[in-house]
Short mmCIF file of all heavy atoms in Angstrom, two decimals:
data_model
loop_
_atom_site.label_atom_id
_atom_site.label_comp_id
_atom_site.label_asym_id
_atom_site.label_seq_id
_atom_site.Cartn_x
_atom_site.Cartn_y
_atom_site.Cartn_z
N SER A 79 -17.55 -19.21 33.86
CA SER A 79 -16.41 -19.99 33.37
C SER A 79 -16.44 -20.23 31.86
O SER A 79 -15.40 -20.38 31.21
CB SER A 79 -16.34 -21.33 34.10
OG SER A 79 -17.55 -22.07 33.88
N CYS A 80 -17.63 -20.26 31.27
CA CYS A 80 -17.74 -20.57 29.83
C CYS A 80 -17.66 -19.32 28.97
O CYS A 80 -17.63 -19.41 27.73
CB CYS A 80 -19.04 -21.30 29.54
SG CYS A 80 -20.51 -20.30 29.86
N LEU A 81 -17.64 -18.15 29.59
CA LEU A 81 -17.75 -16.90 28.83
C LEU A 81 -16.55 -16.65 27.92
O LEU A 81 -16.71 -16.42 26.71
CB LEU A 81 -17.93 -15.73 29.80
CG LEU A 81 -18.20 -14.36 29.16
CD1 LEU A 81 -19.38 -14.42 28.20
CD2 LEU A 81 -18.45 -13.32 30.25
N GLU A 82 -15.34 -16.71 28.47
CA GLU A 82 -14.17 -16.43 27.63
C GLU A 82 -13.97 -17.46 26.52
O GLU A 82 -13.71 -17.07 25.37
CB GLU A 82 -12.91 -16.33 28.51
CG GLU A 82 -11.67 -15.94 27.71
CD GLU A 82 -10.48 -15.61 28.60
OE1 GLU A 82 -10.70 -15.28 29.79
OE2 GLU A 82 -9.35 -15.67 28.10
N PRO A 83 -14.11 -18.77 26.79
CA PRO A 83 -14.01 -19.74 25.69
C PRO A 83 -15.03 -19.49 24.59
O PRO A 83 -14.72 -19.64 23.40
CB PRO A 83 -14.24 -21.09 26.38
CG PRO A 83 -13.83 -20.87 27.80
CD PRO A 83 -14.24 -19.47 28.10
N GLU A 84 -16.25 -19.11 24.98
CA GLU A 84 -17.29 -18.85 23.98
C GLU A 84 -16.95 -17.63 23.13
O GLU A 84 -17.15 -17.61 21.92
CB GLU A 84 -18.65 -18.65 24.67
CG GLU A 84 -19.23 -19.90 25.30
CD GLU A 84 -19.63 -20.94 24.25
OE1 GLU A 84 -19.83 -20.55 23.08
OE2 GLU A 84 -19.71 -22.13 24.61
N LEU A 85 -16.43 -16.60 23.78
CA LEU A 85 -16.04 -15.40 23.03
C LEU A 85 -14.88 -15.69 22.09
O LEU A 85 -14.84 -15.21 20.95
CB LEU A 85 -15.66 -14.27 24.00
CG LEU A 85 -16.83 -13.57 24.72
CD1 LEU A 85 -16.28 -12.60 25.77
CD2 LEU A 85 -17.71 -12.83 23.72
N ARG A 86 -13.94 -16.48 22.54
CA ARG A 86 -12.82 -16.85 21.69
C ARG A 86 -13.28 -17.68 20.48
O ARG A 86 -12.80 -17.49 19.36
CB ARG A 86 -11.78 -17.64 22.49
CG ARG A 86 -11.01 -16.79 23.49
CD ARG A 86 -10.06 -17.61 24.34
NE ARG A 86 -9.24 -16.78 25.19
CZ ARG A 86 -8.06 -16.28 24.85
NH1 ARG A 86 -7.55 -16.57 23.66
NH2 ARG A 86 -7.38 -15.51 25.69
N ALA A 87 -14.24 -18.56 20.72
CA ALA A 87 -14.79 -19.36 19.62
C ALA A 87 -15.52 -18.47 18.62
O ALA A 87 -15.44 -18.67 17.41
CB ALA A 87 -15.73 -20.42 20.17
N PHE A 88 -16.20 -17.47 19.14
CA PHE A 88 -16.93 -16.55 18.27
C PHE A 88 -15.95 -15.76 17.38
O PHE A 88 -16.22 -15.55 16.20
CB PHE A 88 -17.76 -15.58 19.12
CG PHE A 88 -18.50 -14.55 18.31
CD1 PHE A 88 -19.62 -14.90 17.56
CD2 PHE A 88 -18.08 -13.23 18.29
CE1 PHE A 88 -20.30 -13.96 16.82
CE2 PHE A 88 -18.75 -12.29 17.54
CZ PHE A 88 -19.86 -12.65 16.81
N LEU A 89 -14.82 -15.35 17.95
CA LEU A 89 -13.81 -14.66 17.15
C LEU A 89 -13.29 -15.54 16.02
O LEU A 89 -13.06 -15.07 14.90
CB LEU A 89 -12.64 -14.23 18.04
CG LEU A 89 -12.68 -12.80 18.59
CD1 LEU A 89 -13.93 -12.56 19.42
CD2 LEU A 89 -11.42 -12.51 19.40
N GLY A 90 -13.14 -16.83 16.31
CA GLY A 90 -12.69 -17.76 15.28
C GLY A 90 -13.68 -17.88 14.15
O GLY A 90 -13.31 -17.93 12.97
N ILE A 91 -14.96 -17.92 14.50
CA ILE A 91 -16.01 -18.02 13.48
C ILE A 91 -16.01 -16.77 12.60
O ILE A 91 -16.14 -16.85 11.37
CB ILE A 91 -17.39 -18.21 14.14
CG1 ILE A 91 -17.44 -19.58 14.84
CG2 ILE A 91 -18.51 -18.09 13.12
CD1 ILE A 91 -18.70 -19.79 15.65
N CYS A 92 -15.87 -15.60 13.21
CA CYS A 92 -15.86 -14.34 12.46
C CYS A 92 -14.72 -14.32 11.45
O CYS A 92 -14.89 -13.84 10.32
CB CYS A 92 -15.72 -13.16 13.41
SG CYS A 92 -17.17 -12.88 14.46
N SER A 93 -13.57 -14.85 11.83
CA SER A 93 -12.42 -14.87 10.92
C SER A 93 -12.64 -15.79 9.74
O SER A 93 -12.14 -15.54 8.64
CB SER A 93 -11.15 -15.29 11.68
OG SER A 93 -10.88 -14.37 12.73
N LYS A 94 -13.39 -16.86 9.96
CA LYS A 94 -13.65 -17.82 8.88
C LYS A 94 -14.73 -17.33 7.93
O LYS A 94 -14.68 -17.58 6.72
CB LYS A 94 -14.06 -19.17 9.48
CG LYS A 94 -12.94 -19.87 10.24
CD LYS A 94 -13.42 -21.19 10.82
CE LYS A 94 -12.31 -21.90 11.59
NZ LYS A 94 -12.77 -23.18 12.18
N VAL A 95 -15.72 -16.64 8.47
CA VAL A 95 -16.85 -16.19 7.65
C VAL A 95 -16.41 -15.15 6.63
O VAL A 95 -16.84 -15.16 5.49
CB VAL A 95 -17.97 -15.60 8.54
CG1 VAL A 95 -19.03 -14.91 7.70
CG2 VAL A 95 -18.60 -16.72 9.37
N HIS A 96 -15.54 -14.22 7.03
CA HIS A 96 -15.09 -13.15 6.14
C HIS A 96 -13.61 -12.91 6.39
O HIS A 96 -13.16 -12.89 7.54
CB HIS A 96 -15.89 -11.87 6.40
CG HIS A 96 -15.66 -10.81 5.37
ND1 HIS A 96 -14.59 -9.93 5.43
CD2 HIS A 96 -16.35 -10.47 4.25
CE1 HIS A 96 -14.64 -9.11 4.39
NE2 HIS A 96 -15.69 -9.42 3.67
N PRO A 97 -12.82 -12.69 5.31
CA PRO A 97 -11.38 -12.47 5.48
C PRO A 97 -11.04 -11.34 6.44
O PRO A 97 -10.05 -11.41 7.16
CB PRO A 97 -10.92 -12.14 4.05
CG PRO A 97 -11.91 -12.80 3.17
CD PRO A 97 -13.22 -12.72 3.89
N LEU A 98 -11.86 -10.30 6.44
CA LEU A 98 -11.60 -9.17 7.33
C LEU A 98 -12.59 -9.11 8.49
O LEU A 98 -12.79 -8.06 9.09
CB LEU A 98 -11.65 -7.86 6.54
CG LEU A 98 -10.45 -7.60 5.62
CD1 LEU A 98 -10.62 -6.29 4.89
CD2 LEU A 98 -9.14 -7.62 6.39
N GLY A 99 -13.19 -10.25 8.80
CA GLY A 99 -14.09 -10.30 9.95
C GLY A 99 -13.37 -9.98 11.24
O GLY A 99 -13.93 -9.37 12.15
N CYS A 100 -12.09 -10.37 11.31
CA CYS A 100 -11.29 -10.09 12.50
C CYS A 100 -11.10 -8.58 12.70
O CYS A 100 -10.94 -8.11 13.83
CB CYS A 100 -9.94 -10.78 12.41
SG CYS A 100 -8.99 -10.38 10.92
N LEU A 101 -11.12 -7.83 11.60
CA LEU A 101 -10.98 -6.38 11.70
C LEU A 101 -12.20 -5.76 12.37
O LEU A 101 -12.08 -4.91 13.25
CB LEU A 101 -10.78 -5.78 10.31
CG LEU A 101 -10.79 -4.25 10.21
CD1 LEU A 101 -9.69 -3.67 11.08
CD2 LEU A 101 -10.61 -3.82 8.76
#
Side-chain angles (χ1 to χ4, degrees):
S79 60
C80 65
L81 186 53
E82 185 170 338
E84 291 292 339
L85 284 173
R86 289 176 174 271
F88 178 73
L89 265 59
I91 294 173
C92 292
S93 300
K94 292 179 180 179
V95 170
H96 190 276
L98 287 179
C100 55
L101 173 59

